[in-house]
Each structure stands twice: as C-alpha cells, then as structure tokens.
Amino acid sequence: MTATRIAVHGDSPYEVVIGPGVLDELPGLLGARVRTVAVVHNAGLPEIAGPVCKALEQAGYTVHALPVPDGEAAKEVGVLAGLWSDFARLGITRSDAVVGVGGGATTDLAGFAAASWLRGVKAVLVPTTLLGMVDAAVGGKTGINIPEGKNLVGAFHPPAGVLCELTTLTTMPREDYVSGLAEVIKAGFIADPKILELVEDDPQGAASPAGRHTRELVERAVRVKAEVVSADLRESGLREILNYGHTLAHAIEKAEEYRFRHGHAVAIGMVYAAELGRLTGRLPAEVVDRHRAVLTSVGLPTGYPAAAWPVLREGMRVDKKARGATLRFVVLDGLADPGRLEGPADDLLAAAYQAIAR
C-alpha cells in the first residue's frame, strides 16, 4: 500500500510519512553526511527498536541504542542528563543524528535531547503509538517535565522527518490506544468534523487499530496538526488551538504525578472547555453533549472527582498558555470554530468544573 505524505511547512520543512513499511525511508531522511546515530527508544519496545537499528547498520551508519524508561518517566531531567552524557561518551557531533523511537514521551525527550545537544543536531522521529503519531511527534515541539508542571522546559526543534509505521499500533495495549484517540477526536472538534463522523459511524472500530477507519483517522488528525503548525511554528497565535482541553488536562496530570494517561486527561479537559463555552454563551448545548457522547462511545472519561477542584485550580495557575497572571483557555464558538477565553472569573471556572464533577 502506498505511503501517505503530509508536508509540514516552515523554516525547516519536512514530511510525515504514514503507512506500513515506511521505516525503509529512515536512511534517506538521515542522509549521507551522518555517520553516527543515537537511537533513543522506549525500553519496552525492543521488537521495534531492533529492526530500526538493524536497518541503520545495514545502511552503513554506526548505531548506538539508548533505552529510556517507558511513558512519562522518560521526560525527567535525570534521564535527559543521562542522554547528554551518553552523547558525549559516544562522540555525537553536529553532523550526527538522533532517532527517537517510541511513544509521545520518548519522542518529546529524544527531540529535546537533539535540540539541546551542541545547540541542535538532526532528529528523525518514529512514533509507535497513536498519541505519538497524531500529536507529540508532529510540529517540532520538544520538552521534558519538572515537578512544577508538564512540558515547562522545552524547545522548538523540527525533525528531519516523521515516520508513522502503522503496523506498530497493533502492539499497543487497548487502553493506551484509546487514550491516543482523544487527540484524534480533539482534531475533529477544532478543525475536521469528518473525524467525529467516522468515530460515530463505528465507535468500536475507532477504539481499535484494526478498525476500518484507522488509517483515515490518523491521516486526518495529522493533516489538522500539520496545517496548524505550518502556519504557526512557534505558538504565537493559531497553534494555541491545538491545546483545546489541555489546560485542565495538564493540571490533572500534575495532580496524578503523571501516572494518569494523557489522552484520558485531555478527554476530561475537552468536556470542561466545552462547558466553559456553554456557560459563556459561546457554544450550543448540543455540541457539549456531542463531546460526552463521542468520548464515552470509545471508552474515554468525561468527568473527574469533585473534591479535586482546589488542587486542579492551583495547578492551572502554572500553564504555558497563561500570560502573566491571566489564564487563557481554548474554547469553541461552534463546531470546528475555536476561539480563546482570557481571564475567566473563578466562579465561572468552578461552575464549569461542577458540570463535569463526579
């Protein structure tokens, strides 16, 4: 089956290549100038990292596999510092490269390691999860977490390319796959309602990599993100719409010490943002109801404990979208019509939370 190529424009343009068998393109993305490749991979994915390393070795590169912890545990300062030490030990130069293989946390880490080593070396990302393919690996945002918040330390560092090998999705645990589906659904609400129709047409199939719409859902979600980041690489305006649902989501993740699935938090955060839109008279109630229906149909949560509100409200104070003391939310003025809500009153924030509390 022919690979799908989606261009991401900007100062450093690249392609997201989607399909089965796309790993064959990895050597071409690295080029002849690169000699040594550090393959930063999820420690739990030897069956995927192994073939990547073998393909690079057969292409003539010197390859060093560098395993990192699974999930958000990879995005810690200590893990990043360990990679820097590894790069120094291996003699990684500006003409060498980093390949990130794994979920969104691994590609975030690998990208930031590449961005910060010698002020920037080439990176190619091979996301192996749905979340990584449709969100984390596309757009050039890299980062790590600190105790005070998620992704507060990072850099913009566009990769030389992103390879979405769809066959890797079949290795994912169901709950992790469904978690990634939240970002796909988000793309439907902010830009491409056809995504919502595909999910509604076959919710059970949408929740599985074997579903009949899987490839189209991935491609549509990637196109949404590619179009947005092409127009706004550094999040100066338009790109903020990709953060729909993320203000509360990041507060939930922080409160849960990053043991809560990102997509589950985003699902809850989208319903919260929808309620903010409803309470301010910007979003019809039927669109809020559609949020709950679509998310629930694939097994994603739409509420969070009522008693958690004080902790979550405090957690939202430290948010990348805030400007000074002003808290900013992405909200919808209608389906596929995102806008911004700046400086909402505390009683409004609390009322919207009460609408999702359980």
Side-chain angles (χ1 to χ4, degrees):
M1 189 179 293
T2 305
T4 300
R5 299 175 182 278
I6 299 175
V8 182
H9 303 289
D11 295 339
S12 301
Y14 59 94
E15 287 186 328
V16 182
V17 186
I18 303 169
V22 299
L23 293 182
D24 294 343
E25 303 202 17
L26 185 52
L29 290 174
L30 292 172
R33 185 166 174 246
V34 172
R35 290 289 179 265
T36 302
V37 182
V39 178
V40 178
H41 68 91
N42 182 319
L45 292 174
E47 71 282 2
I48 298 172
V52 169
C53 293
K54 184 176 180 180
L56 292 172
E57 289 168 349
Q58 290 176 339
Y61 298 103
T62 299
V63 181
H64 300 281
L66 302 176
V68 295
D70 295 348
E72 291 294 318
K75 292 176 61 173
E76 295 185 356
V77 175
V79 177
L80 174 65
L83 287 180
W84 288 334
S85 296
D86 289 334
F87 293 171
R89 173 176 55 83
L90 299 172
I92 301 296
T93 70
R94 283 183 177 170
S95 59
D96 294 321
V98 174
V99 173
V101 182
T106 303
T107 56
D108 276 359
L109 170 71
F112 187 49
S116 53
W117 183 249
L118 301 178
R119 298 186 178 89
V121 298
K122 179 179 286 189
V124 175
L125 303 179
V126 184
T128 60
T129 65
L130 183 59
L131 177 63
M133 291 181 187
V134 303
D135 184 44
V138 180
K141 285 172 71 172
T142 70
I144 60 169
N145 305 329
I146 59 175
E148 289 74 18
K150 183 175 173 126
N151 294 329
L152 293 178
V153 179
F156 291 98
H157 188 64
V162 178
L163 300 178
C164 298
E165 175 58 60
L166 293 178
T167 60
T168 65
L169 296 178
T170 62
T171 68
M172 292 187 65
R174 179 180 173 84
E175 277 295 295
D176 291 339
Y177 186 84
V178 170
S179 175
L181 198 57
E183 291 284 0
V184 177
I185 292 170
K186 178 200 74 178
F189 278 114
I190 66 171
D192 183 3
K194 179 63 176 179
I195 289 173
L196 305 179
E197 294 172 14
L198 291 171
V199 174
E200 290 165 335
D201 176 64
D202 184 12
Q204 186 174 356
S208 165
R212 56 196 170 98
H213 299 312
T214 295
R215 181 164 180 167
E216 184 176 359
L217 287 169
V218 171
E219 291 176 358
R220 284 183 174 276
V222 170
R223 281 198 178 93
V224 168
K225 184 154 191 183
E227 289 172 4
V228 171
V229 301
S230 293
D232 181 15
L233 172 64
R234 297 185 179 273
E235 203 169 71
S236 58
L238 175 64
R239 186 166 177 161
E240 275 193 337
I241 70 172
L242 297 172
N243 288 317
Y244 184 57
H246 284 56
T247 301
L248 182 66
H250 286 166
I252 290 172
E253 289 179 287
K254 180 182 176 184
E256 296 275 357
E257 297 181 341
Y258 305 109
R259 292 189 293 265
F260 200 83
R261 287 181 176 87
H262 176 70
H264 287 54
V266 169
I268 297 167
M270 283 193 287
V271 179
Y272 178 70
E275 288 289 358
L276 280 175
R278 180 183 65 82
L279 289 171
T280 52
R282 299 172 63 160
L283 189 65
E286 58 265 26
V287 182
V288 182
D289 293 340
R290 194 175 186 187
H291 279 68
R292 287 191 170 89
V294 172
L295 294 166
T296 300
S297 74
V298 297
L300 285 164
T302 58
Y304 200 71
W309 174 240
V311 172
L312 299 182
R313 178 64 184 93
E314 181 61 29
M316 288 193 294
R317 295 184 193 279
V318 182
D319 184 85
K320 300 190 302 301
K321 293 169 289 305
R323 299 291 186 270
T326 302
L327 193 59
R328 293 154 59 96
F329 287 85
V330 178
V331 296
L332 297 180
D333 292 317
L335 190 60
D337 185 14
R340 291 166 186 78
L341 176 64
E342 299 197 19
D346 273 352
D347 59 350
L348 173 63
L349 295 175
Y353 189 77
Q354 189 61 39
I356 72 164
R358 55 172 175 77

